[in-house]
Amino acid sequence: MAEGRIIAERRGGILYLTISNPDSFNSVTTAMREDLIRNVREAENDDSVRVIVLKGDGEKCFCSGLSMEMLDSISCMEDRHEQWVVGKRIREALQESTKILVAAVKGSCAGNALEISLCCDLVFCAENSKFVLPELNIGLTPGCGGAIELQKHIPYHRFMEMVLLCDRMSPAEALHYGFVNKVFPLETMDEELDKILDKLAATAPLAVKGLKEQLYLQENVGIEAAYRKEYDLCIGLMGS
């Protein structure tokens, strides 16, 4: 099985988590997925981390999704259940995070990688990027909330075209639908993105944390819980 790792690096209040498995198009193994969860959870308890950036190793592929060798190794119901649970835990770790989450996409963003980017607050990509959910090609459906989350961003018929035909979405189309925030030339993306990340890292951490908690309540509990949180934030942050 191809070996890979999640590389964690810091620049001030910015934590970069790089998906690195270059011999396998940055596909993710179970160990890499567990490591991603661990890094995100640890960052949640570190007040010095303001922004988490998810990126791929190199410029040709953000991440190609789940490792085929890993899928081939699944041999029983317990294995299948475990893989679904790991995907659920990744989604929960990202959606519950009160840090600013940024997906910095270069090249292919496929399958589980697209599902991960859908959980981020901001998505920036290079002009060589492409987005695809290819699971139906191998008789699967997206298993980390990808189909559920993607349909929130794009029209139903375009969504079904992407899933049923495994059709790729270009950066221009992703920008049109608001799935990505900005598209950069590949050669200048890092420089331009650093400017944005520095601004994000300078935002008020208590306000960011409260806003994300409020939005999480709105999405997962209900509008009344979100309004109660809004009240608490307005009163509390005025005194901070």
Side-chain angles (χ1 to χ4, degrees):
M1 182 179 294
E3 295 184 2
R5 58 182 179 143
I6 302 295
I7 303 172
E9 300 171 299
R10 285 287 296 270
R11 182 173 70 84
I14 305 167
L15 172 65
Y16 295 87
L17 298 179
T18 301
I19 302 167
S20 180
N21 195 354
D23 292 335
S24 186
F25 303 101
N26 289 338
S27 63
V28 287
T29 63
T30 300
M32 292 172 68
R33 299 170 88 198
E34 292 284 2
D35 203 25
L36 179 61
I37 295 168
R38 179 184 61 78
N39 275 283
V40 172
R41 292 296 192 190
E42 288 180 356
E44 184 64 20
N45 297 316
D46 186 344
D47 291 339
S48 68
V49 175
R50 303 290 183 86
V51 183
I52 301 174
V53 181
L54 304 176
K55 58 195 290 282
D57 189 352
E59 298 182 340
K60 295 182 178 180
C61 189
F62 174 71
C63 173
S64 61
L66 300 182
S67 164
M68 292 305 298
E69 293 92 340
M70 183 193 74
L71 290 173
D72 289 341
S73 70
I74 296 174
S75 60
C76 61
M77 180 62 73
E78 289 76 11
D79 291 343
R80 300 175 206 167
H81 176 72
E82 178 186 354
Q83 290 305 319
W84 182 85
V85 168
V86 174
K88 176 176 180 288
R89 288 172 53 227
I90 290 176
R91 185 177 72 251
E92 290 174 342
L94 295 171
Q95 292 179 341
E96 293 171 5
S97 174
T98 59
K99 309 297 181 178
I100 300 172
L101 298 172
V102 176
V105 178
K106 295 178 181 179
S108 179
C109 179
N112 194 210
L114 178 53
E115 293 168 333
I116 288 172
S117 68
L118 286 164
C119 294
C120 291
D121 302 304
L122 299 165
V123 181
F124 301 103
C125 74
E127 290 177 336
N128 73 330
S129 301
K130 48 185 176 289
F131 304 90
V132 62
L133 288 175
E135 284 84 354
L136 262 70
N137 274 335
I138 55 173
L140 300 176
T141 58
C144 187
I148 296 169
E149 295 298 325
L150 182 62
Q151 194 182 348
K152 297 176 183 178
H153 294 270
I154 64 177
Y156 174 79
H157 291 108
R158 179 62 180 117
F159 160 78
M160 291 299 284
E161 182 180 35
M162 281 190 69
V163 176
L164 295 177
L165 299 177
C166 304
D167 192 43
R168 297 175 179 179
M169 179 181 286
S170 69
E173 185 180 5
L175 184 64
H176 169 74
Y177 287 128
F179 171 65
V180 303
N181 296 89
K182 289 184 184 296
V183 180
F184 299 107
L186 180 60
E187 60 273 14
T188 62
M189 178 171 173
D190 290 343
E191 179 182 354
E192 295 297 322
L193 187 58
D194 281 347
K195 297 175 185 177
I196 296 173
L197 294 175
D198 287 340
K199 289 182 180 180
L200 293 173
T203 54
L206 293 179
V208 170
K209 181 176 186 293
L211 175 64
K212 293 204 63 178
E213 289 174 343
Q214 177 186 320
L215 295 175
Y216 180 84
L217 288 172
Q218 180 178 337
E219 179 72 18
N220 296 280
V221 179
I223 192 68
E224 289 304 320
Y227 276 124
R228 288 193 295 270
K229 183 65 178 180
E230 179 189 66
Y231 171 81
D232 292 341
L233 288 171
C234 288
I235 299 303
L237 291 177
M238 286 180 189
S240 70

Short mmCIF file of all heavy atoms in Angstrom, two decimals, residues 85-125:
data_model
loop_
_atom_site.label_atom_id
_atom_site.label_comp_id
_atom_site.label_asym_id
_atom_site.label_seq_id
_atom_site.Cartn_x
_atom_site.Cartn_y
_atom_site.Cartn_z
N VAL A 85 -17.13 5.36 9.32
CA VAL A 85 -17.00 6.08 10.59
C VAL A 85 -15.83 7.07 10.53
O VAL A 85 -15.95 8.21 11.00
CB VAL A 85 -16.83 5.10 11.77
CG1 VAL A 85 -16.41 5.85 13.03
CG2 VAL A 85 -18.12 4.34 12.01
N VAL A 86 -14.71 6.66 9.93
CA VAL A 86 -13.57 7.57 9.81
C VAL A 86 -13.96 8.79 8.98
O VAL A 86 -13.62 9.94 9.32
CB VAL A 86 -12.35 6.86 9.19
CG1 VAL A 86 -11.22 7.87 8.93
CG2 VAL A 86 -11.84 5.77 10.12
N GLY A 87 -14.67 8.58 7.88
CA GLY A 87 -15.14 9.69 7.06
C GLY A 87 -16.06 10.61 7.83
O GLY A 87 -15.97 11.84 7.73
N LYS A 88 -16.94 10.04 8.62
CA LYS A 88 -17.86 10.83 9.46
C LYS A 88 -17.08 11.65 10.48
O LYS A 88 -17.39 12.82 10.72
CB LYS A 88 -18.84 9.90 10.17
CG LYS A 88 -19.79 10.58 11.14
CD LYS A 88 -20.78 9.56 11.71
CE LYS A 88 -21.75 10.19 12.70
NZ LYS A 88 -21.09 10.54 13.98
N ARG A 89 -16.04 11.06 11.05
CA ARG A 89 -15.25 11.78 12.05
C ARG A 89 -14.46 12.93 11.43
O ARG A 89 -14.27 13.96 12.07
CB ARG A 89 -14.32 10.80 12.77
CG ARG A 89 -15.07 9.85 13.71
CD ARG A 89 -14.17 8.77 14.26
NE ARG A 89 -12.98 9.35 14.87
CZ ARG A 89 -11.74 8.92 14.63
NH1 ARG A 89 -11.53 7.90 13.81
NH2 ARG A 89 -10.71 9.49 15.24
N ILE A 90 -13.99 12.74 10.18
CA ILE A 90 -13.32 13.85 9.50
C ILE A 90 -14.30 15.01 9.30
O ILE A 90 -13.98 16.17 9.60
CB ILE A 90 -12.78 13.40 8.13
CG1 ILE A 90 -11.60 12.45 8.31
CG2 ILE A 90 -12.35 14.61 7.29
CD1 ILE A 90 -11.07 11.89 7.01
N ARG A 91 -15.48 14.69 8.81
CA ARG A 91 -16.48 15.73 8.57
C ARG A 91 -16.82 16.45 9.88
O ARG A 91 -16.90 17.68 9.91
CB ARG A 91 -17.74 15.10 7.97
CG ARG A 91 -18.80 16.12 7.57
CD ARG A 91 -20.00 15.47 6.92
NE ARG A 91 -20.81 14.72 7.88
CZ ARG A 91 -20.90 13.41 7.92
NH1 ARG A 91 -20.20 12.67 7.06
NH2 ARG A 91 -21.68 12.80 8.80
N GLU A 92 -17.00 15.71 10.95
CA GLU A 92 -17.35 16.32 12.22
C GLU A 92 -16.22 17.18 12.76
O GLU A 92 -16.46 18.28 13.29
CB GLU A 92 -17.72 15.22 13.23
CG GLU A 92 -19.03 14.53 12.92
CD GLU A 92 -19.32 13.36 13.84
OE1 GLU A 92 -18.37 12.86 14.50
OE2 GLU A 92 -20.47 12.93 13.90
N ALA A 93 -14.98 16.70 12.64
CA ALA A 93 -13.85 17.48 13.13
C ALA A 93 -13.75 18.82 12.42
O ALA A 93 -13.48 19.86 13.05
CB ALA A 93 -12.55 16.69 12.95
N LEU A 94 -13.98 18.83 11.12
CA LEU A 94 -13.91 20.06 10.34
C LEU A 94 -15.12 20.95 10.60
O LEU A 94 -14.98 22.16 10.83
CB LEU A 94 -13.80 19.74 8.85
CG LEU A 94 -12.52 19.03 8.41
CD1 LEU A 94 -12.62 18.58 6.96
CD2 LEU A 94 -11.30 19.91 8.60
N GLN A 95 -16.31 20.39 10.60
CA GLN A 95 -17.51 21.20 10.77
C GLN A 95 -17.64 21.74 12.18
O GLN A 95 -18.25 22.80 12.38
CB GLN A 95 -18.75 20.38 10.40
CG GLN A 95 -18.85 20.05 8.92
CD GLN A 95 -20.06 19.21 8.57
OE1 GLN A 95 -20.66 18.57 9.42
NE2 GLN A 95 -20.44 19.23 7.30
N GLU A 96 -17.07 21.06 13.16
CA GLU A 96 -17.15 21.52 14.55
C GLU A 96 -16.01 22.45 14.92
O GLU A 96 -16.02 23.06 15.99
CB GLU A 96 -17.15 20.32 15.50
CG GLU A 96 -18.40 19.46 15.39
CD GLU A 96 -18.29 18.16 16.17
OE1 GLU A 96 -17.27 17.97 16.88
OE2 GLU A 96 -19.21 17.33 16.07
N SER A 97 -15.03 22.59 14.05
CA SER A 97 -13.88 23.44 14.35
C SER A 97 -14.29 24.91 14.40
O SER A 97 -15.06 25.38 13.57
CB SER A 97 -12.79 23.26 13.29
OG SER A 97 -11.72 24.17 13.52
N THR A 98 -13.76 25.64 15.39
CA THR A 98 -14.02 27.07 15.49
C THR A 98 -12.87 27.88 14.89
O THR A 98 -12.86 29.11 14.99
CB THR A 98 -14.25 27.49 16.95
OG1 THR A 98 -13.10 27.16 17.74
CG2 THR A 98 -15.47 26.78 17.52
N LYS A 99 -11.90 27.21 14.30
CA LYS A 99 -10.85 27.91 13.57
C LYS A 99 -11.33 28.23 12.15
O LYS A 99 -12.26 27.61 11.65
CB LYS A 99 -9.58 27.04 13.49
CG LYS A 99 -9.11 26.48 14.83
CD LYS A 99 -8.71 27.57 15.82
CE LYS A 99 -8.23 26.96 17.12
NZ LYS A 99 -7.79 28.00 18.09
N ILE A 100 -10.67 29.19 11.51
CA ILE A 100 -10.97 29.46 10.11
C ILE A 100 -10.32 28.37 9.26
O ILE A 100 -9.10 28.18 9.32
CB ILE A 100 -10.45 30.84 9.69
CG1 ILE A 100 -11.09 31.94 10.53
CG2 ILE A 100 -10.73 31.09 8.20
CD1 ILE A 100 -10.50 33.32 10.31
N LEU A 101 -11.12 27.65 8.49
CA LEU A 101 -10.63 26.54 7.67
C LEU A 101 -10.55 26.97 6.22
O LEU A 101 -11.53 27.46 5.65
CB LEU A 101 -11.55 25.33 7.80
CG LEU A 101 -11.68 24.70 9.18
CD1 LEU A 101 -12.77 23.64 9.16
CD2 LEU A 101 -10.36 24.10 9.63
N VAL A 102 -9.38 26.79 5.62
CA VAL A 102 -9.15 27.18 4.23
C VAL A 102 -8.66 25.98 3.43
O VAL A 102 -7.70 25.32 3.83
CB VAL A 102 -8.11 28.32 4.15
CG1 VAL A 102 -7.81 28.65 2.69
CG2 VAL A 102 -8.61 29.56 4.89
N ALA A 103 -9.30 25.70 2.30
CA ALA A 103 -8.81 24.70 1.36
C ALA A 103 -8.06 25.44 0.25
O ALA A 103 -8.62 26.32 -0.39
CB ALA A 103 -9.95 23.89 0.78
N ALA A 104 -6.79 25.10 0.07
CA ALA A 104 -5.97 25.70 -0.98
C ALA A 104 -5.72 24.63 -2.04
O ALA A 104 -4.86 23.76 -1.87
CB ALA A 104 -4.65 26.21 -0.40
N VAL A 105 -6.48 24.69 -3.13
CA VAL A 105 -6.52 23.60 -4.09
C VAL A 105 -5.68 23.92 -5.33
O VAL A 105 -5.87 24.95 -5.97
CB VAL A 105 -7.97 23.31 -4.52
CG1 VAL A 105 -8.02 22.20 -5.58
CG2 VAL A 105 -8.83 22.95 -3.32
N LYS A 106 -4.78 23.00 -5.63
CA LYS A 106 -4.05 23.03 -6.90
C LYS A 106 -4.23 21.66 -7.56
O LYS A 106 -4.05 20.63 -6.91
CB LYS A 106 -2.56 23.29 -6.68
CG LYS A 106 -2.23 24.65 -6.09
CD LYS A 106 -0.72 24.79 -5.86
CE LYS A 106 -0.36 26.12 -5.24
NZ LYS A 106 1.10 26.24 -4.98
N GLY A 107 -4.58 21.64 -8.82
CA GLY A 107 -4.74 20.38 -9.53
C GLY A 107 -6.02 19.66 -9.15
O GLY A 107 -7.03 20.26 -8.77
N SER A 108 -5.99 18.35 -9.25
CA SER A 108 -7.18 17.52 -9.06
C SER A 108 -7.65 17.51 -7.61
O SER A 108 -6.86 17.34 -6.68
CB SER A 108 -6.89 16.08 -9.52
OG SER A 108 -8.02 15.25 -9.31
N CYS A 109 -8.95 17.67 -7.44
CA CYS A 109 -9.59 17.59 -6.12
C CYS A 109 -10.74 16.62 -6.27
O CYS A 109 -11.82 16.98 -6.75
CB CYS A 109 -10.06 18.98 -5.69
SG CYS A 109 -10.89 19.02 -4.08
N ALA A 110 -10.51 15.36 -5.90
CA ALA A 110 -11.45 14.30 -6.26
C ALA A 110 -11.95 13.54 -5.03
O ALA A 110 -11.22 13.36 -4.05
CB ALA A 110 -10.77 13.30 -7.21
N GLY A 111 -13.19 13.11 -5.10
CA GLY A 111 -13.74 12.22 -4.09
C GLY A 111 -13.68 12.79 -2.69
O GLY A 111 -14.22 13.87 -2.41
N ASN A 112 -13.02 12.07 -1.79
CA ASN A 112 -12.92 12.48 -0.39
C ASN A 112 -12.30 13.87 -0.25
O ASN A 112 -12.62 14.62 0.68
CB ASN A 112 -12.11 11.45 0.38
CG ASN A 112 -12.21 11.59 1.89
OD1 ASN A 112 -11.29 11.27 2.63
ND2 ASN A 112 -13.35 12.06 2.38
N ALA A 113 -11.41 14.24 -1.18
CA ALA A 113 -10.79 15.56 -1.14
C ALA A 113 -11.83 16.65 -1.37
O ALA A 113 -11.81 17.69 -0.71
CB ALA A 113 -9.69 15.66 -2.19
N LEU A 114 -12.75 16.44 -2.30
CA LEU A 114 -13.81 17.40 -2.54
C LEU A 114 -14.72 17.49 -1.33
O LEU A 114 -15.16 18.57 -0.93
CB LEU A 114 -14.61 17.01 -3.79
CG LEU A 114 -15.81 17.90 -4.16
CD1 LEU A 114 -15.39 19.36 -4.27
CD2 LEU A 114 -16.42 17.43 -5.46
N GLU A 115 -14.98 16.34 -0.72
CA GLU A 115 -15.81 16.32 0.49
C GLU A 115 -15.15 17.11 1.61
O GLU A 115 -15.82 17.85 2.35
CB GLU A 115 -16.04 14.87 0.91
CG GLU A 115 -16.88 14.09 -0.09
CD GLU A 115 -16.89 12.60 0.14
OE1 GLU A 115 -15.91 12.06 0.71
OE2 GLU A 115 -17.87 11.96 -0.23
N ILE A 116 -13.83 17.00 1.75
CA ILE A 116 -13.10 17.75 2.76
C ILE A 116 -13.18 19.25 2.49
O ILE A 116 -13.43 20.06 3.39
CB ILE A 116 -11.64 17.28 2.82
CG1 ILE A 116 -11.55 15.88 3.45
CG2 ILE A 116 -10.77 18.27 3.61
CD1 ILE A 116 -10.16 15.26 3.37
N SER A 117 -13.00 19.64 1.24
CA SER A 117 -13.04 21.06 0.90
C SER A 117 -14.43 21.65 1.14
O SER A 117 -14.56 22.83 1.49
CB SER A 117 -12.60 21.29 -0.55
OG SER A 117 -13.54 20.76 -1.46
N LEU A 118 -15.47 20.85 0.97
CA LEU A 118 -16.83 21.32 1.22
C LEU A 118 -17.06 21.66 2.69
O LEU A 118 -17.98 22.41 3.03
CB LEU A 118 -17.84 20.26 0.78
CG LEU A 118 -18.05 20.10 -0.73
CD1 LEU A 118 -18.75 18.79 -1.04
CD2 LEU A 118 -18.85 21.27 -1.28
N CYS A 119 -16.23 21.11 3.57
CA CYS A 119 -16.36 21.38 5.00
C CYS A 119 -15.59 22.62 5.43
O CYS A 119 -15.66 23.02 6.60
CB CYS A 119 -15.85 20.18 5.81
SG CYS A 119 -16.83 18.67 5.62
N CYS A 120 -14.84 23.23 4.51
CA CYS A 120 -14.03 24.39 4.86
C CYS A 120 -14.83 25.68 4.73
O CYS A 120 -15.84 25.73 4.03
CB CYS A 120 -12.79 24.44 3.96
SG CYS A 120 -11.60 23.12 4.29
N ASP A 121 -14.37 26.73 5.40
CA ASP A 121 -15.04 28.02 5.36
C ASP A 121 -14.76 28.76 4.05
O ASP A 121 -15.61 29.49 3.55
CB ASP A 121 -14.58 28.89 6.52
CG ASP A 121 -14.82 28.23 7.86
OD1 ASP A 121 -15.98 27.87 8.13
OD2 ASP A 121 -13.86 28.06 8.64
N LEU A 122 -13.56 28.58 3.53
CA LEU A 122 -13.13 29.26 2.32
C LEU A 122 -12.39 28.27 1.43
O LEU A 122 -11.65 27.42 1.93
CB LEU A 122 -12.20 30.43 2.65
CG LEU A 122 -12.78 31.55 3.52
CD1 LEU A 122 -11.66 32.43 4.06
CD2 LEU A 122 -13.78 32.38 2.73
N VAL A 123 -12.60 28.38 0.12
CA VAL A 123 -11.91 27.53 -0.84
C VAL A 123 -11.27 28.43 -1.89
O VAL A 123 -11.96 29.20 -2.57
CB VAL A 123 -12.86 26.53 -1.52
CG1 VAL A 123 -12.08 25.65 -2.50
CG2 VAL A 123 -13.59 25.67 -0.49
N PHE A 124 -9.95 28.34 -2.01
CA PHE A 124 -9.21 29.06 -3.04
C PHE A 124 -8.55 28.03 -3.94
O PHE A 124 -8.08 26.99 -3.46
CB PHE A 124 -8.15 29.98 -2.41
CG PHE A 124 -8.72 31.00 -1.48
CD1 PHE A 124 -8.63 30.85 -0.11
CD2 PHE A 124 -9.37 32.12 -1.98
CE1 PHE A 124 -9.17 31.79 0.76
CE2 PHE A 124 -9.91 33.07 -1.13
CZ PHE A 124 -9.81 32.91 0.25
N CYS A 125 -8.49 28.31 -5.23
CA CYS A 125 -7.91 27.32 -6.12
C CYS A 125 -7.09 27.97 -7.22
O CYS A 125 -7.23 29.16 -7.52
CB CYS A 125 -9.00 26.42 -6.72
SG CYS A 125 -10.01 27.18 -8.00
#
